[in-house]
Amino acid sequence: MRILVLGGGAREHAIAWRLSRDEAGHRLRIAPGNGGTPAVAETVGDLDVLDPVAVARHASRERYDLVAIGPDAVVAAGVADALRQAGIPAFGPMRAAARLESSKAHAKEQMRRAGVPSAAASTFSDADAALAHLRALERPPVVKADWLAAGKGVVVAETHEQAADAVRSLLDGAAPGAALVLEERLEGREVSAFALVSDRVVVPLGAARDYKRLGDGDAGPNTGGMGAYAPVPWFGPREMEAATASVFEPIAWRMSRDGAPYRGVLYAGLMLTERGPMVLEFNARFGDPEAQVLMPLLDGDLAAAMLATTTGDRSAMDGALGLRGGAAAVGVVLASEGYPGDPLTGRALTGADPAGPDDAGPALCFHAGTRADGDGTATSGGRVVTFVGIGTDHTEARERAYAAIGQAELDGGQHRSDVGLEVAAG
Ligand code: AMP
Ligand code: GLY
């Protein structure tokens, strides 16, 4: 197949790398890509991936068999809408369905109507009304911006005062009419669950555990994600099946009924509470860094599964992909000094050879904020690379990921040292 991958993070490098290992063999391109993706795909220069018309024009001219969309911003820009209109199969939801991610208030409403368990919540666009509601709550709520805020729109408040500050500061800088969600705080373990969804057809993929905070022991600010592992021992096929029935199928049905059928990978951020799994958020895409640990464990033909998802071919979607048994992956993100605030870029990076089609482990390196710099590589963003160790269990995978990151050199580079520790032996 002729395939175009859209995006330039480690998630997209991992997706393109996994596509490059499909037995069928493909002609792969990526836009915009990064300093590592030439190892797996030809870079399309000069294409604004946030411009739906430009992407559709390019895709028609190049006659791709499939376009796989990585980042939320590309989904939210309506690129899948333009591609479908041009008759190009797009793996990724259209804008109306992607509101499950881009509007928390819409997601809440759809969950309520679908009977999907999630925290009690109310939506406000007026600060005074939000503050009055807040004062009446027994426990401080979680405050969520109702717009795509790149991980910076959620405040898990410890006190009512903190929650009130969050309400004021989020609405202060917001566009007119912008809304906030005040949500009951849930307790439990978090897991990222993924399913292929095509209208009412749902095929569970698997789950991963994401590390969102910058520092060890979940200290420090929220980030895009500093590491991940898969599989999740306490969220296996049985739990995934239960979540398919209680979360993925009802929401897919609801979207279909509303004339906004979902097509692509749906990511449910779940909190496993005493009351069962409850949805914290939906995302209309693979997770980053979750994709980096899931891709190496996927058996099957990824491109065929993606294509079948664009058309809703249940027999081709069912069983097309599965997580390999007896294997585990641990991914550790190397980030620039200053991340997640103001990352310092333009520094030299060594010891981070990008994963190519012939690489299967024991460690893989997926690039994100990098660019070619003469014969070498320089940093160009906050999250620089993800090192993924693959092993027969989490202990081995973790050792291999950290051995690989130990070889990398980046001035001021930051990484967590506890990724996968909770599931490793010893
Ligand atoms: P979100 O972007 O909605 O997933 O929120 C980001 C992070 O905030 C989540 O990964 C959780 O750690 C935390 N969070 C969000 N909603 C809640 C909630 N209702 N209760 C507890 N923690 C939450
Ligand atoms: N790892 C969290 C996300 O992709 O949103």
Side-chain angles (χ1 to χ4, degrees):
M1 278 193 235
R2 290 166 64 84
I3 305 175
L4 174 67
V5 176
L6 296 178
R11 166 182 52 209
E12 288 77 27
H13 183 184
I15 291 169
W17 167 82
R18 181 59 187 75
L19 287 168
S20 78
R21 292 180 57 77
D22 274 352
E23 255 170 50
H26 308 298
R27 171 120 193 251
L28 289 172
R29 293 213 182 135
I30 190 164
N34 58 48
T37 53
V40 288
E42 187 187 332
T43 308
V44 178
D46 291 335
L47 178 63
D48 179 359
V49 299
L50 294 175
D51 178 346
V53 174
V55 173
R57 200 180 296 138
H58 166 78
S60 300
R61 198 170 52 229
E62 298 295 330
R63 302 205 181 138
Y64 294 112
D65 302 301
L66 175 69
V67 178
I69 303 175
D72 56 340
V74 180
V75 170
V79 169
D81 305 56
L83 286 166
R84 287 218 176 88
Q85 232 165 39
I88 309 276
F91 181 80
M94 302 218 269
R95 191 153 36 177
R99 285 186 70 214
L100 270 187
E101 170 166 8
S102 60
S103 166
K104 303 245 183 212
H106 175 72
K108 273 283 162 199
E109 174 64 11
Q110 292 297 65
M111 284 190 265
R112 190 187 60 72
R113 291 173 70 208
V116 170
S118 80
S122 311
T123 303
F124 301 91
S125 47
D126 175 68
D128 290 334
L131 293 171
H133 177 83
L134 173 63
R135 278 191 292 271
L137 291 174
E138 200 177 311
R139 302 208 313 136
V142 179
V143 183
K144 298 187 174 187
D146 187 35
W147 55 89
L148 282 179
K152 290 173 191 152
V154 175
V155 177
V156 183
E158 298 296 335
T159 63
H160 282 78
E161 212 161 282
Q162 258 179 26
D165 285 347
V167 166
R168 285 189 208 98
S169 70
L170 281 171
L171 278 182
D172 213 19
L180 284 180
V181 177
L182 298 186
E183 186 173 293
E184 165 203 9
R185 179 165 174 180
L186 301 174
E187 305 289 344
R189 279 175 131 166
E190 275 186 69
V191 64
S192 307
F194 299 88
L196 295 179
V197 176
S198 188
D199 200 345
R200 298 187 187 191
V201 181
V202 175
V203 175
L205 270 185
R209 157 86 156 97
D210 171 29
Y211 290 75
K212 286 207 170 80
R213 299 289 186 128
L214 181 68
D216 285 359
D218 288 335
N222 258 318
T223 69
M226 293 298 288
Y229 66 76
V232 181
W234 32 272
F235 198 83
R238 210 157 39 100
E239 288 78 12
M240 194 64 206
E241 209 169 291
T244 301
S246 69
V247 172
F248 288 107
E249 284 175 347
I251 203 76
W253 185 87
R254 184 72 255 156
M255 300 302 289
S256 174
R257 279 288 294 234
D258 280 358
Y262 193 96
R263 286 200 180 84
V265 61
L266 182 60
Y267 161 167
L270 302 176
M271 186 76 95
L272 308 181
T273 73
E274 285 173 352
R275 291 177 274 167
M278 299 179 82
V279 175
L280 292 177
E281 63 166 347
F282 282 116
N283 293 314
R285 53 179 172 79
F286 273 116
D288 182 343
E290 290 96 325
Q292 291 92 300
V293 293
L294 287 170
M295 290 297 145
L297 300 179
L298 278 185
D299 272 340
D301 188 329
L302 178 58
M306 285 178 161
L307 192 62
T309 303
T310 71
T311 58
D313 180 346
R314 180 191 280 273
S315 60
M317 281 168 72
D318 259 338
L321 293 175
L323 285 192
R324 189 153 29 108
V330 171
V332 183
V333 171
L334 176 63
S336 294
E337 180 176 355
Y339 179 77
D342 290 311
L344 299 172
T345 60
R347 291 189 171 165
L349 169 70
T350 60
D353 286 345
D358 299 329
D359 297 322
L364 300 165
C365 175
F366 297 118
H367 280 222
T370 67
R371 60 177 168 81
D373 184 27
D375 288 342
T377 301
T379 61
S380 62
R383 289 191 290 175
V384 177
V385 290
T386 308
F387 286 98
V388 178
I390 323 275
T392 52
D393 57 21
H394 295 90
T395 308
E396 191 175 51
R398 179 178 143 77
E399 279 166 13
R400 290 173 167 177
Y402 279 103
I405 209 168
Q407 301 294 310
E409 283 190 41
L410 168 64
D411 235 18
Q414 335 176 49
H415 66 82
R416 280 183 69 151
S417 62
D418 62 349
V419 177
L421 192 59
E422 65 188 19
V423 285

